[in-house]
Amino acid sequence: MAEDADVIVIGAGLAGLVAATEIADTGKRVIVVEQEGEQNLGGQAFWSFGGLFLVNSPEQRRLGIKDSFELALQDWMGTAGFDRDEDHWPRRWAEAYVAFAAGEKRGWLRAMGHRIFPVVGWAERGGYDAMGHGNSVPRFHVTWGTGPGIVEPFERRAREAQKTGRLTFKFRHRADALSMTSGAVDGVSGAILEPDDVERGKSSSRQVIGDFSFRAPAVIVASGGIGGNHDLVRKNWPRRLGAPPPHMISGVPEHVDGRMIGITEAIGARLINRDRMWHYVEGIRNWSPIWPRHGIRILPGPSSMWFDATGTRLPAPLFPGSDTLGQLQYIMATGHDYSWFILTQSIIKKEFALSGSEQNPDLTGKSWRMTIKRATNEGAPAPVEAFKENDADFIVRDNLADLVAAMNALVNDNLLKLEYIKTQIEARDREIANPYVKDAQVMNLHNARRYIGDRLIRTAKPHRILDPAHGPLIAVKLNILTRKTLGGFETDLDSRVFGNDGQIIRGLFAIGEAAGFGGGGVHGYRSLEGTFLGGCLFSGRNAGRAAAKAVG
Ligand SMILES: Cc1cc2nc3c(=O)[nH]c(=O)nc-3n(C[C@H](O)[C@H](O)[C@H](O)COP(=O)(O)OP(=O)(O)OC[C@H]3O[C@@H](n4cnc5c(N)ncnc54)[C@H](O)[C@@H]3O)c2cc1C
């Protein structure tokens, strides 16, 4: 039977786009099958903040940050905590990926016109020992143009390849099955969905109007993770994090449905580390939602005080921005699936950022004039102020008694006791005037402000929370927000998928979130952040090059 292409890619998210453009560049013909419409090109990456993990970059060096491959690998391994037999390939991917982040990654992107905002962010700071979780130094490089800025070079390359006929997009084509002949994958079949011009990110119609079947000697699965499918998230929820949360909000669109993962598993592909996932605990309901249960993650600076649902401050080192899964584990152990920030106007102004391209019009729109306002600090960015005013999860009051009363009212409970919260805040506030400091969070503030990037745009000058001069007081109810899938199909460094018998399945590749961003779980248990888009770039590039070579 005639081949329709040399390679078929399932999914036009970032990973799929990278692989497809690499294939087309070798002169091979590639079909990209995508269940959503053309308006959704780029998948989740379009919505992303565009944060990239880079090591020893010129941006870091300019800010006086000393980084190295060795330090980054130490951080990665301490964060990943690889401890399973099935971590063999994830570990090899981790070593290769850190080398990519310290080497080719920045230059490769730059040659395609990608640019970086000059202030490097410091995500997942840890707080344990040198071999434990966290970034020893700031490494979160925000794309100038955020998510759309990372999609743009690959979309451009794809459009060029489209013109020459080497790349064909098949939008509204939903893959439902993979075909195999003599043990090798050789095609994709599925349903053609009715056209739908629904806005990007919104749920589209699933009405079937036809079917399709394409043949090719290589198929790359780039279908994303499971974060939009809460049933699957709950089914795979790791017991070490307690029972699955009864209430969650979605940090990803509904097309992140995990359906293709089951279809790929059905032909014998080996899915590993399915219980590893990366969800956030600082989720707020989007008052202007795009997708179902739409939540936004607050990217918090280090100063907000964090309380569980009963009003107890989270223990050290579980401060904002330190250890996402440590916080999730602690919160789930409280028997409640939410927690609280208490902060001041001075803190929100300087420290609150919201993850997502649409929440950062200054960086997304590449406007220096607007971006500079982050440093001049005249107010919180407009989207943050809009949340403060409109969002059900934000409470603003002039005094603590009113604040706590409103917090109790919001959850329709009486769990928070004013005196208990007041005692804890006053104790912390006493440490502000103490130059030696016992409170680990306050120590962290002083440490953060030694880094110029944090001092400029991320860390408020330490002050008393109850000082009215820094008011009003603000409380934010924080929900659990689903986002990333850390496990996936086990692959070798060429992104070739292993079967349950331990042998490579000929003709089958997996990349991006579907492959746990490479190998079936390059992150192990935890992430250093900015590593997901990078995982799509690296695994997509490897797969594209390897598949093009394999088909001869
Ligand atoms: C708001 C937000 C902020 C983020 N910020 C960052 C950040 O700053 N840094 C970072 O590193 N990461 C970030 N991420 C994560 C990152 O964007 C994603 O993990 C990554 O883009 C996933 O890419 P992917 O190509 O693997 O999958 P996706 O983007 O999910 O693309 C998969 C595509 O496959 C299609 N598909 C699925 N099943 C089928 C099927 N059966 N048939 C046909 N098509 C199918 C889907 O419709 C989709 O278009 C963020 C994510 C979000 C949502």
Short mmCIF file of all heavy atoms in Angstrom, two decimals, residues 10-16 33-36 40 42-52 140 173-176 206 222-225 251-253 255-257 259-260 263 291 355-358 483-484 511-514 517 529-534 536, ligand 1:
data_model
loop_
_atom_site.label_atom_id
_atom_site.label_comp_id
_atom_site.label_asym_id
_atom_site.label_seq_id
_atom_site.Cartn_x
_atom_site.Cartn_y
_atom_site.Cartn_z
N ILE A 10 1.27 13.02 15.63
CA ILE A 10 -0.07 13.21 16.23
C ILE A 10 0.03 14.31 17.28
O ILE A 10 0.64 14.13 18.34
CB ILE A 10 -0.58 11.90 16.86
CG1 ILE A 10 -0.61 10.80 15.81
CG2 ILE A 10 -1.96 12.11 17.50
CD1 ILE A 10 -0.91 9.42 16.37
N GLY A 11 -0.55 15.46 16.97
CA GLY A 11 -0.54 16.58 17.91
C GLY A 11 0.27 17.75 17.38
O GLY A 11 1.44 17.61 17.04
N ALA A 12 -0.39 18.92 17.30
CA ALA A 12 0.29 20.13 16.82
C ALA A 12 0.58 21.09 17.97
O ALA A 12 0.44 22.30 17.85
CB ALA A 12 -0.53 20.81 15.74
N GLY A 13 0.94 20.52 19.13
CA GLY A 13 1.46 21.33 20.22
C GLY A 13 2.93 21.63 19.94
O GLY A 13 3.42 21.36 18.82
N LEU A 14 3.64 22.15 20.94
CA LEU A 14 5.04 22.52 20.71
C LEU A 14 5.89 21.31 20.31
O LEU A 14 6.66 21.37 19.36
CB LEU A 14 5.63 23.19 21.96
CG LEU A 14 7.07 23.66 21.80
CD1 LEU A 14 7.17 24.76 20.73
CD2 LEU A 14 7.64 24.17 23.12
N ALA A 15 5.73 20.20 21.03
CA ALA A 15 6.56 19.03 20.75
C ALA A 15 6.33 18.56 19.32
O ALA A 15 7.29 18.30 18.57
CB ALA A 15 6.25 17.92 21.74
N GLY A 16 5.05 18.47 18.90
CA GLY A 16 4.73 18.02 17.55
C GLY A 16 5.28 18.97 16.50
O GLY A 16 5.80 18.53 15.46
N VAL A 33 -1.36 15.43 12.35
CA VAL A 33 -2.77 15.18 12.63
C VAL A 33 -3.12 15.86 13.94
O VAL A 33 -2.47 15.63 14.96
CB VAL A 33 -2.97 13.64 12.76
CG1 VAL A 33 -4.37 13.33 13.23
CG2 VAL A 33 -2.67 12.94 11.46
N GLU A 34 -4.15 16.72 13.93
CA GLU A 34 -4.48 17.49 15.14
C GLU A 34 -6.01 17.53 15.32
O GLU A 34 -6.72 17.92 14.40
CB GLU A 34 -3.89 18.90 15.03
CG GLU A 34 -4.41 19.92 16.04
CD GLU A 34 -4.18 19.54 17.50
OE1 GLU A 34 -3.03 19.27 17.88
OE2 GLU A 34 -5.18 19.50 18.25
N GLN A 35 -6.46 17.17 16.52
CA GLN A 35 -7.92 17.09 16.72
C GLN A 35 -8.59 18.47 16.79
O GLN A 35 -9.76 18.62 16.46
CB GLN A 35 -8.23 16.30 17.99
CG GLN A 35 -7.70 16.92 19.27
CD GLN A 35 -7.90 16.03 20.50
OE1 GLN A 35 -8.52 14.99 20.42
NE2 GLN A 35 -7.36 16.46 21.63
N GLU A 36 -7.82 19.48 17.20
CA GLU A 36 -8.40 20.82 17.29
C GLU A 36 -8.28 21.55 15.95
O GLU A 36 -7.67 21.06 15.02
CB GLU A 36 -7.69 21.62 18.39
CG GLU A 36 -7.85 21.05 19.78
CD GLU A 36 -9.30 20.93 20.23
OE1 GLU A 36 -10.11 21.82 19.89
OE2 GLU A 36 -9.65 19.93 20.89
N ASN A 40 -5.85 26.63 17.08
CA ASN A 40 -5.27 26.11 18.31
C ASN A 40 -3.80 25.72 18.18
O ASN A 40 -3.22 25.14 19.10
CB ASN A 40 -6.06 24.88 18.75
CG ASN A 40 -6.48 25.00 20.18
OD1 ASN A 40 -7.19 25.91 20.55
ND2 ASN A 40 -5.98 24.10 20.99
N GLY A 42 -0.08 25.08 18.31
CA GLY A 42 0.85 25.35 19.41
C GLY A 42 0.38 24.76 20.73
O GLY A 42 1.14 24.69 21.69
N GLY A 43 -0.88 24.34 20.80
CA GLY A 43 -1.40 23.67 22.00
C GLY A 43 -1.17 24.48 23.26
O GLY A 43 -1.35 25.70 23.29
N GLN A 44 -0.76 23.81 24.32
CA GLN A 44 -0.57 24.47 25.62
C GLN A 44 0.51 25.54 25.59
O GLN A 44 0.45 26.51 26.33
CB GLN A 44 -0.15 23.45 26.67
CG GLN A 44 -1.15 22.40 27.03
CD GLN A 44 -0.54 21.47 28.05
OE1 GLN A 44 -0.18 21.86 29.15
NE2 GLN A 44 -0.42 20.21 27.70
N ALA A 45 1.52 25.33 24.74
CA ALA A 45 2.66 26.25 24.76
C ALA A 45 2.23 27.68 24.49
O ALA A 45 2.81 28.63 25.02
CB ALA A 45 3.71 25.80 23.75
N PHE A 46 1.20 27.84 23.66
CA PHE A 46 0.72 29.20 23.37
C PHE A 46 0.29 29.90 24.66
O PHE A 46 0.51 31.10 24.84
CB PHE A 46 -0.46 29.15 22.39
CG PHE A 46 -1.04 30.51 22.12
CD1 PHE A 46 -0.54 31.31 21.10
CD2 PHE A 46 -2.06 31.02 22.91
CE1 PHE A 46 -1.05 32.58 20.87
CE2 PHE A 46 -2.59 32.29 22.69
CZ PHE A 46 -2.07 33.08 21.67
N TRP A 47 -0.34 29.14 25.58
CA TRP A 47 -0.87 29.74 26.82
C TRP A 47 0.21 29.91 27.87
O TRP A 47 -0.03 30.55 28.90
CB TRP A 47 -1.98 28.85 27.39
CG TRP A 47 -3.13 28.74 26.46
CD1 TRP A 47 -3.47 27.67 25.67
CD2 TRP A 47 -4.09 29.77 26.15
NE1 TRP A 47 -4.57 27.98 24.91
CE2 TRP A 47 -4.97 29.25 25.19
CE3 TRP A 47 -4.28 31.09 26.60
CZ2 TRP A 47 -6.03 29.99 24.67
CZ3 TRP A 47 -5.33 31.82 26.08
CH2 TRP A 47 -6.18 31.27 25.13
N SER A 48 1.36 29.30 27.61
CA SER A 48 2.37 29.22 28.67
C SER A 48 3.02 30.57 28.93
O SER A 48 2.88 31.52 28.15
CB SER A 48 3.44 28.19 28.31
OG SER A 48 4.34 28.74 27.36
N PHE A 49 3.77 30.61 30.02
CA PHE A 49 4.52 31.82 30.37
C PHE A 49 5.81 31.89 29.55
O PHE A 49 6.50 32.90 29.55
CB PHE A 49 4.83 31.76 31.87
CG PHE A 49 5.21 33.08 32.48
CD1 PHE A 49 4.65 34.28 32.05
CD2 PHE A 49 6.14 33.14 33.51
CE1 PHE A 49 5.01 35.50 32.61
CE2 PHE A 49 6.51 34.35 34.09
CZ PHE A 49 5.94 35.53 33.64
N GLY A 50 6.13 30.78 28.89
CA GLY A 50 7.34 30.78 28.05
C GLY A 50 8.62 30.71 28.86
O GLY A 50 9.69 31.08 28.37
N GLY A 51 8.53 30.21 30.10
CA GLY A 51 9.72 30.12 30.96
C GLY A 51 10.60 28.95 30.57
O GLY A 51 10.11 27.84 30.38
N LEU A 52 11.89 29.21 30.42
CA LEU A 52 12.82 28.17 29.97
C LEU A 52 13.97 28.00 30.95
O LEU A 52 14.59 28.98 31.37
CB LEU A 52 13.41 28.53 28.61
CG LEU A 52 12.47 28.59 27.41
CD1 LEU A 52 13.26 29.02 26.18
CD2 LEU A 52 11.80 27.25 27.16
N PHE A 140 15.14 30.56 35.56
CA PHE A 140 13.88 30.61 34.81
C PHE A 140 13.92 31.80 33.85
O PHE A 140 13.73 32.94 34.25
CB PHE A 140 12.74 30.73 35.83
CG PHE A 140 11.36 30.54 35.26
CD1 PHE A 140 10.88 29.27 34.96
CD2 PHE A 140 10.52 31.63 35.04
CE1 PHE A 140 9.59 29.09 34.46
CE2 PHE A 140 9.23 31.46 34.54
CZ PHE A 140 8.78 30.18 34.25
N HIS A 173 -8.69 16.40 12.79
CA HIS A 173 -8.50 14.97 12.59
C HIS A 173 -8.08 14.39 13.95
O HIS A 173 -7.01 14.71 14.46
CB HIS A 173 -7.40 14.69 11.56
CG HIS A 173 -7.85 14.85 10.14
ND1 HIS A 173 -8.43 16.01 9.67
CD2 HIS A 173 -7.82 13.98 9.09
CE1 HIS A 173 -8.73 15.86 8.39
NE2 HIS A 173 -8.38 14.63 8.02
N ARG A 174 -8.95 13.57 14.48
CA ARG A 174 -8.67 12.98 15.80
C ARG A 174 -8.20 11.54 15.62
O ARG A 174 -8.92 10.71 15.09
CB ARG A 174 -9.95 12.99 16.65
CG ARG A 174 -9.71 12.49 18.07
CD ARG A 174 -11.01 12.34 18.82
NE ARG A 174 -11.80 11.25 18.26
CZ ARG A 174 -13.12 11.11 18.44
NH1 ARG A 174 -13.79 11.99 19.14
NH2 ARG A 174 -13.76 10.08 17.92
N ALA A 175 -6.97 11.27 16.07
CA ALA A 175 -6.45 9.91 15.97
C ALA A 175 -7.18 9.02 16.97
O ALA A 175 -7.30 9.37 18.15
CB ALA A 175 -4.95 9.92 16.25
N ASP A 176 -7.68 7.88 16.49
CA ASP A 176 -8.37 6.94 17.37
C ASP A 176 -7.65 5.60 17.46
O ASP A 176 -7.96 4.80 18.34
CB ASP A 176 -9.80 6.69 16.85
CG ASP A 176 -10.68 7.94 16.98
OD1 ASP A 176 -10.39 8.79 17.84
OD2 ASP A 176 -11.64 8.07 16.19
N ARG A 206 -17.20 17.77 19.27
CA ARG A 206 -16.68 16.43 19.03
C ARG A 206 -17.56 15.66 18.04
O ARG A 206 -17.48 14.45 17.94
CB ARG A 206 -16.54 15.67 20.37
CG ARG A 206 -15.35 16.15 21.22
CD ARG A 206 -14.03 15.82 20.52
NE ARG A 206 -12.83 16.28 21.22
CZ ARG A 206 -12.18 17.41 20.90
NH1 ARG A 206 -12.62 18.21 19.96
NH2 ARG A 206 -11.07 17.73 21.53
N ALA A 222 2.60 12.91 19.95
CA ALA A 222 2.92 14.20 20.61
C ALA A 222 1.63 14.80 21.14
O ALA A 222 1.33 15.97 20.93
CB ALA A 222 3.59 15.14 19.60
N SER A 223 0.85 13.97 21.83
CA SER A 223 -0.54 14.32 22.14
C SER A 223 -0.73 14.98 23.51
O SER A 223 -1.86 15.22 23.92
CB SER A 223 -1.40 13.07 22.05
OG SER A 223 -0.87 12.07 22.89
N GLY A 224 0.36 15.27 24.21
CA GLY A 224 0.23 15.96 25.50
C GLY A 224 -0.09 15.01 26.64
O GLY A 224 -0.06 13.79 26.50
N GLY A 225 -0.42 15.61 27.80
CA GLY A 225 -0.62 14.83 29.03
C GLY A 225 -2.08 14.62 29.37
O GLY A 225 -2.93 14.54 28.47
N GLY A 251 -5.54 23.87 35.00
CA GLY A 251 -4.53 24.80 34.47
C GLY A 251 -4.28 24.59 33.00
O GLY A 251 -3.40 25.23 32.43
N VAL A 252 -5.03 23.68 32.38
CA VAL A 252 -4.82 23.37 30.96
C VAL A 252 -6.17 23.26 30.24
O VAL A 252 -7.18 22.95 30.88
CB VAL A 252 -4.05 22.03 30.78
CG1 VAL A 252 -2.66 22.12 31.34
CG2 VAL A 252 -4.81 20.87 31.43
N PRO A 253 -6.19 23.49 28.92
CA PRO A 253 -7.46 23.35 28.18
C PRO A 253 -7.95 21.90 28.16
O PRO A 253 -7.20 20.97 28.47
CB PRO A 253 -7.08 23.81 26.76
CG PRO A 253 -5.79 24.52 26.87
CD PRO A 253 -5.09 23.95 28.06
N HIS A 255 -8.51 19.95 25.75
CA HIS A 255 -7.91 19.00 24.80
C HIS A 255 -6.75 18.22 25.42
O HIS A 255 -6.28 17.24 24.84
CB HIS A 255 -7.47 19.72 23.51
CG HIS A 255 -6.33 20.69 23.67
ND1 HIS A 255 -5.04 20.31 24.01
CD2 HIS A 255 -6.28 22.03 23.56
CE1 HIS A 255 -4.27 21.36 24.07
NE2 HIS A 255 -4.99 22.44 23.82
N VAL A 256 -6.29 18.63 26.61
CA VAL A 256 -5.24 17.84 27.28
C VAL A 256 -5.96 16.68 27.98
O VAL A 256 -6.07 16.62 29.19
CB VAL A 256 -4.45 18.72 28.28
CG1 VAL A 256 -3.22 17.98 28.79
CG2 VAL A 256 -4.01 20.03 27.62
N ASP A 257 -6.50 15.78 27.13
CA ASP A 257 -7.47 14.80 27.63
C ASP A 257 -6.89 13.42 27.90
O ASP A 257 -7.58 12.54 28.42
CB ASP A 257 -8.64 14.69 26.63
CG ASP A 257 -8.18 14.32 25.22
OD1 ASP A 257 -7.06 13.82 25.06
OD2 ASP A 257 -8.96 14.54 24.26
N ARG A 259 -6.43 10.99 26.11
CA ARG A 259 -7.08 9.90 25.39
C ARG A 259 -6.08 9.11 24.53
O ARG A 259 -6.11 7.89 24.47
CB ARG A 259 -8.16 10.52 24.51
CG ARG A 259 -9.18 9.58 24.00
CD ARG A 259 -10.32 10.35 23.34
NE ARG A 259 -10.98 9.47 22.39
CZ ARG A 259 -10.55 9.29 21.16
NH1 ARG A 259 -9.51 9.95 20.69
NH2 ARG A 259 -11.20 8.45 20.36
N MET A 260 -5.18 9.84 23.88
CA MET A 260 -4.22 9.19 22.98
C MET A 260 -3.22 8.31 23.75
O MET A 260 -2.62 7.39 23.19
CB MET A 260 -3.48 10.29 22.17
CG MET A 260 -2.68 9.78 21.01
SD MET A 260 -3.72 9.02 19.74
CE MET A 260 -2.60 7.76 19.15
N ILE A 263 -4.77 4.98 23.86
CA ILE A 263 -4.75 4.36 22.52
C ILE A 263 -3.36 3.80 22.22
O ILE A 263 -3.21 2.71 21.67
CB ILE A 263 -5.18 5.41 21.46
CG1 ILE A 263 -6.66 5.78 21.67
CG2 ILE A 263 -4.92 4.91 20.05
CD1 ILE A 263 -7.11 7.02 20.92
N TRP A 291 -11.27 28.06 29.27
CA TRP A 291 -11.62 26.64 29.19
C TRP A 291 -12.35 26.20 30.46
O TRP A 291 -12.37 26.96 31.45
CB TRP A 291 -10.37 25.79 28.92
CG TRP A 291 -9.22 25.98 29.87
CD1 TRP A 291 -9.11 25.50 31.15
CD2 TRP A 291 -7.98 26.66 29.59
NE1 TRP A 291 -7.89 25.85 31.68
CE2 TRP A 291 -7.18 26.55 30.75
CE3 TRP A 291 -7.47 27.34 28.48
CZ2 TRP A 291 -5.90 27.11 30.83
CZ3 TRP A 291 -6.20 27.88 28.57
CH2 TRP A 291 -5.43 27.77 29.72
N SER A 355 0.75 33.03 35.99
CA SER A 355 1.33 32.25 34.89
C SER A 355 0.36 32.21 33.73
O SER A 355 -0.82 31.93 33.91
CB SER A 355 1.67 30.85 35.36
OG SER A 355 2.25 30.13 34.30
N GLY A 356 0.85 32.45 32.55
CA GLY A 356 0.01 32.36 31.35
C GLY A 356 0.24 33.56 30.46
O GLY A 356 0.41 34.68 30.94
N SER A 357 0.25 33.31 29.15
CA SER A 357 0.56 34.39 28.21
C SER A 357 -0.48 35.51 28.29
O SER A 357 -0.14 36.69 28.24
CB SER A 357 0.64 33.84 26.79
OG SER A 357 -0.50 33.07 26.46
N GLU A 358 -1.77 35.13 28.45
CA GLU A 358 -2.82 36.16 28.42
C GLU A 358 -2.82 37.00 29.69
O GLU A 358 -3.43 38.07 29.73
CB GLU A 358 -4.19 35.52 28.15
CG GLU A 358 -4.91 34.92 29.35
CD GLU A 358 -4.31 33.63 29.89
OE1 GLU A 358 -3.23 33.21 29.43
OE2 GLU A 358 -4.92 33.04 30.80
N ARG A 483 -1.91 20.49 36.21
CA ARG A 483 -1.13 20.99 35.08
C ARG A 483 -0.38 19.86 34.36
O ARG A 483 -0.82 19.37 33.36
CB ARG A 483 -0.16 22.08 35.50
CG ARG A 483 0.58 22.70 34.32
CD ARG A 483 -0.10 23.90 33.73
NE ARG A 483 0.48 25.10 34.30
CZ ARG A 483 -0.18 26.24 34.50
NH1 ARG A 483 -1.44 26.32 34.15
NH2 ARG A 483 0.40 27.28 35.02
N LYS A 484 0.73 19.40 34.91
CA LYS A 484 1.61 18.60 34.05
C LYS A 484 1.67 17.13 34.44
O LYS A 484 1.54 16.79 35.61
CB LYS A 484 3.03 19.18 34.10
CG LYS A 484 3.15 20.47 33.32
CD LYS A 484 3.79 21.55 34.11
CE LYS A 484 3.77 22.89 33.41
NZ LYS A 484 4.12 23.99 34.27
N ILE A 511 6.94 11.92 22.27
CA ILE A 511 7.67 13.14 22.67
C ILE A 511 6.80 14.05 23.54
O ILE A 511 5.60 13.85 23.68
CB ILE A 511 8.14 13.93 21.42
CG1 ILE A 511 6.94 14.25 20.51
CG2 ILE A 511 9.19 13.16 20.66
CD1 ILE A 511 7.30 15.10 19.29
N GLY A 512 7.44 15.08 24.07
CA GLY A 512 6.72 16.07 24.87
C GLY A 512 6.09 15.42 26.10
O GLY A 512 6.60 14.45 26.66
N GLU A 513 4.97 15.98 26.50
CA GLU A 513 4.33 15.53 27.73
C GLU A 513 3.90 14.06 27.65
O GLU A 513 3.88 13.35 28.66
CB GLU A 513 3.12 16.44 28.01
CG GLU A 513 2.77 16.48 29.46
CD GLU A 513 1.92 17.69 29.84
OE1 GLU A 513 1.92 18.71 29.13
OE2 GLU A 513 1.25 17.60 30.87
N ALA A 514 3.55 13.58 26.44
CA ALA A 514 3.14 12.18 26.28
C ALA A 514 4.28 11.22 26.64
O ALA A 514 4.04 10.07 27.01
CB ALA A 514 2.67 11.93 24.85
N PHE A 517 8.03 14.13 28.84
CA PHE A 517 9.02 15.09 28.35
C PHE A 517 10.36 14.43 28.01
O PHE A 517 11.38 15.08 27.97
CB PHE A 517 9.21 16.24 29.34
CG PHE A 517 7.93 17.01 29.57
CD1 PHE A 517 7.12 16.73 30.65
CD2 PHE A 517 7.55 17.99 28.70
CE1 PHE A 517 5.93 17.42 30.84
CE2 PHE A 517 6.37 18.69 28.87
CZ PHE A 517 5.54 18.40 29.94
N GLU A 529 11.27 23.68 37.11
CA GLU A 529 10.48 24.68 36.39
C GLU A 529 11.19 25.19 35.11
O GLU A 529 12.41 25.25 35.04
CB GLU A 529 10.11 25.88 37.27
CG GLU A 529 9.01 25.56 38.26
CD GLU A 529 7.64 25.33 37.62
OE1 GLU A 529 7.51 25.40 36.38
OE2 GLU A 529 6.69 25.04 38.37
N GLY A 530 10.33 25.54 34.15
CA GLY A 530 10.85 25.98 32.85
C GLY A 530 11.40 24.79 32.06
O GLY A 530 12.05 24.96 31.03
N THR A 531 11.12 23.61 32.57
CA THR A 531 11.73 22.40 32.01
C THR A 531 10.78 21.67 31.08
O THR A 531 11.15 20.68 30.48
CB THR A 531 12.08 21.46 33.17
OG1 THR A 531 10.89 21.26 33.94
CG2 THR A 531 13.14 22.06 34.06
N PHE A 532 9.53 22.15 31.00
CA PHE A 532 8.51 21.43 30.23
C PHE A 532 8.57 21.84 28.77
O PHE A 532 8.61 20.98 27.88
CB PHE A 532 7.13 21.71 30.84
CG PHE A 532 7.11 21.45 32.33
CD1 PHE A 532 7.16 22.50 33.24
CD2 PHE A 532 7.09 20.16 32.81
CE1 PHE A 532 7.18 22.27 34.60
CE2 PHE A 532 7.11 19.92 34.17
CZ PHE A 532 7.15 20.98 35.07
N LEU A 533 8.56 23.14 28.53
CA LEU A 533 8.72 23.61 27.15
C LEU A 533 10.05 23.09 26.60
O LEU A 533 10.14 22.61 25.48
CB LEU A 533 8.69 25.14 27.10
CG LEU A 533 7.37 25.79 27.51
CD1 LEU A 533 7.56 27.28 27.74
CD2 LEU A 533 6.29 25.55 26.46
N GLY A 534 11.07 23.19 27.43
CA GLY A 534 12.40 22.73 27.02
C GLY A 534 12.38 21.23 26.72
O GLY A 534 13.05 20.77 25.79
N CYS A 536 9.86 19.62 25.55
CA CYS A 536 9.21 19.48 24.24
C CYS A 536 10.22 19.77 23.12
O CYS A 536 10.26 19.08 22.11
CB CYS A 536 8.04 20.45 24.11
SG CYS A 536 6.66 20.06 25.18
C1 LIG B 1 -0.86 28.33 31.44
C2 LIG B 1 0.35 27.48 31.23
C3 LIG B 1 1.60 27.99 31.58
C4 LIG B 1 2.75 27.21 31.36
N1 LIG B 1 3.97 27.77 31.59
C5 LIG B 1 5.08 27.04 31.31
C6 LIG B 1 6.38 27.64 31.44
O1 LIG B 1 6.52 28.83 31.72
N2 LIG B 1 7.46 26.85 31.20
C7 LIG B 1 7.36 25.53 30.84
O2 LIG B 1 8.39 24.88 30.65
N3 LIG B 1 6.14 24.97 30.67
C8 LIG B 1 5.01 25.69 30.88
N4 LIG B 1 3.78 25.12 30.67
C9 LIG B 1 3.72 23.71 30.24
C10 LIG B 1 3.92 23.52 28.74
O3 LIG B 1 3.31 24.57 28.03
C11 LIG B 1 3.32 22.19 28.29
O4 LIG B 1 3.72 21.15 29.14
C12 LIG B 1 3.77 21.86 26.87
O5 LIG B 1 3.47 22.94 26.01
C13 LIG B 1 3.11 20.57 26.37
O6 LIG B 1 3.36 20.44 24.98
P1 LIG B 1 2.99 19.13 24.17
O7 LIG B 1 3.30 19.44 22.75
O8 LIG B 1 3.62 17.94 24.78
O9 LIG B 1 1.41 18.94 24.40
P2 LIG B 1 0.16 19.88 24.06
O10 LIG B 1 0.50 21.29 24.04
O11 LIG B 1 -0.92 19.44 24.98
O12 LIG B 1 -0.22 19.47 22.57
C14 LIG B 1 -0.78 18.22 22.25
C15 LIG B 1 -1.68 18.37 21.05
O13 LIG B 1 -2.13 17.07 20.66
C16 LIG B 1 -3.50 17.14 20.31
N5 LIG B 1 -4.07 15.80 20.47
C17 LIG B 1 -4.25 15.11 21.62
N6 LIG B 1 -4.81 13.92 21.37
C18 LIG B 1 -5.00 13.86 20.03
C19 LIG B 1 -5.55 12.88 19.17
N7 LIG B 1 -6.04 11.72 19.63
N8 LIG B 1 -5.59 13.13 17.85
C20 LIG B 1 -5.12 14.31 17.34
N9 LIG B 1 -4.60 15.29 18.12
C21 LIG B 1 -4.52 15.05 19.45
C22 LIG B 1 -4.06 18.17 21.26
O14 LIG B 1 -5.27 18.71 20.77
C23 LIG B 1 -2.93 19.19 21.35
O15 LIG B 1 -3.05 20.23 20.40
C24 LIG B 1 2.62 25.88 30.85
C25 LIG B 1 1.36 25.37 30.52
C26 LIG B 1 0.24 26.17 30.68
C27 LIG B 1 -1.10 25.62 30.25
#
